[in-house]
Structures are given as C-alpha cells and as structure tokens.
C-alpha cells in the first residue's frame, strides 16, 4: 500500500473495513481521525513525545458481541461523563494522562461526522505484551479497529 498522506491510510482502512463487513465510518471521518493522530504525533507534552492508542468503537454498543464468560483480564470500557472533541489539543493532553501500554481511548463519530473521545478502555496491557512478543497469544481488542501513536 503506497501511502503518503492520512487520506491514503483512510482509504486503505475504509476498503479493509468494507471487505470485512464492519460498520464502516466514511473516508472523510477516517481521514479526520488519521490527520488528528498525525498532527498530534508531531507535538510534545512536558518535553515528552506523544504516545496514545485509540479504538474506533460505537459508544451505543461498545461491546456488541461479548463472550458468554467474561474473564477478569478482559477489557472493559468506561465512558467519560462528557465526551471531548477529538482534536490535537485534547489528544495531546490526554496522552499525558492515559498510558497506551495499559489503556486505550474510545473514539467515534457523531451523525455529522464530528469525532469524539467518549471513553477509556482498560486492560490494553495484555495486547501490549502480545505485540512486544512477551506473550504467545493476544486478547480480543475492542472496536472495529485501533490506531497507535508511538
């Protein structure tokens, strides 16, 4: 996949989600998400580079297909009292408070295509250990896809 810009990534992700028959956000929404992540990745907070993980997930049905038996180490989503617009400033500030090793920001878009940070997902540590090959199997992850700034 040749990609030079966030809209290239958005088109690729959109195509994959359509092929996987997922509830697919528009290319415009995905472009807005990836542009925000890209511009946030260029920032620093208190001298530290930005690092965060986001899961694009429906706030109305964050866990649409839960397992019959929920284990103690399975992820849970905790909604914020009030959603925050997904913009560079909010992402930079939250990245200092939410370590992507252990937590994920839940994001979605409203009916007008505006992106929101609406919750936090815990237990990302199990996925992080899998990605770094410290574990031999990975857990189920929330949302229709995830993106990371490292």
């Amino acid at each position: 996949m040749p990609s030079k810009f966030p809209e290239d990534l958005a088109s690729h992700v959109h195509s994959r989600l359509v092929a996987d028959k997922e509830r697919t956000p528009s290319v415009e929404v995905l472009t807005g998400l990836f542009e925000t992540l890209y511009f946030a990745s260029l920032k620093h907070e208190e001298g530290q580079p930005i690092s965060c993980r986001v899961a694009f997930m429906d706030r109305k049905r964050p866990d649409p297909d839960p397992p019959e038996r929920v284990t103690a180490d399975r992820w849970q989503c905790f909604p914020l009292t009030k959603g925050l617009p997904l913009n560079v400033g909010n992402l930079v500030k939250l990245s200092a408070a939410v370590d992507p090793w252990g937590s994920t920001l839940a994001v979605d878009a409203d009916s007008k295509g505006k992106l929101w940070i609406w919750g936090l997902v815990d237990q990302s540590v199990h996925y992080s250990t899998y990605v770094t090959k410290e574990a031999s199997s990975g857990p189920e992850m929330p949302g229709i896809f995830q993106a990371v700034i490292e």
Side-chain angles (χ1 to χ4, degrees), residues 64-111:
D65 193 24
E68 283 185 29
R69 186 173 151 259
V70 176
T71 61
D73 61 353
R74 187 173 188 274
W75 63 268
Q76 291 183 352
C77 190
F78 300 91
L80 300 174
T81 302
K82 183 178 176 187
L84 298 169
L86 178 72
N87 58 41
V88 172
N90 285 338
L91 201 53
V92 167
K93 288 294 182 191
L94 280 175
S95 72
V98 180
D99 181 3
W101 183 263
S103 298
T104 301
L105 299 172
V107 302
D108 71 358
D110 63 19
S111 60

Side-chain angles (χ1 to χ4, degrees), residues 5 18 22 31 38-39 42 44 49 55-56 60 79 89 101 108-109 112 126 129 140 149:
F5 301 100
V18 168
E22 293 287 349
T31 299
Y38 171 73
F39 288 116
L42 301 175
H44 285 76
F56 197 94
K60 293 176 186 155
W101 183 263
D108 71 358
K112 296 178 182 170
H126 303 294
T129 58
E140 171 197 12
I149 298 173

Side-chain angles (χ1 to χ4, degrees), residues 5-22:
F5 301 100
E7 60 264 21
D8 297 322
L9 178 58
S11 293
H12 180 73
V13 169
H14 185 267
S15 296
R16 286 295 304 261
L17 292 173
V18 168
D20 292 344
K21 297 179 175 44
E22 293 287 349

Side-chain angles (χ1 to χ4, degrees), residues 121-137:
V121 180
D122 72 350
Q123 299 294 342
S124 296
V125 67
H126 303 294
Y127 185 72
S128 296
T129 58
Y130 171 69
V131 168
T132 59
K133 300 189 182 343
E134 293 178 27
S136 59
S137 64

Side-chain angles (χ1 to χ4, degrees), residues 1-68:
M1 174 191 105
S3 60
K4 298 178 184 176
F5 301 100
E7 60 264 21
D8 297 322
L9 178 58
S11 293
H12 180 73
V13 169
H14 185 267
S15 296
R16 286 295 304 261
L17 292 173
V18 168
D20 292 344
K21 297 179 175 44
E22 293 287 349
R23 180 188 68 86
T24 307
S26 69
V27 173
E28 294 77 19
V29 166
L30 292 171
T31 299
L33 172 64
F34 295 134
E35 284 177 346
T36 303
L37 293 172
Y38 171 73
F39 288 116
S41 75
L42 301 175
K43 301 287 187 182
H44 285 76
E45 180 67 10
E46 297 184 12
Q48 298 297 316
I50 300 307
S51 180
C52 72
R53 178 180 311 205
V54 299
F56 197 94
M57 52 195 302
D58 187 348
R59 77 177 68 212
K60 293 176 186 155
R61 292 187 62 212
D63 196 359
D65 193 24
E68 283 185 29

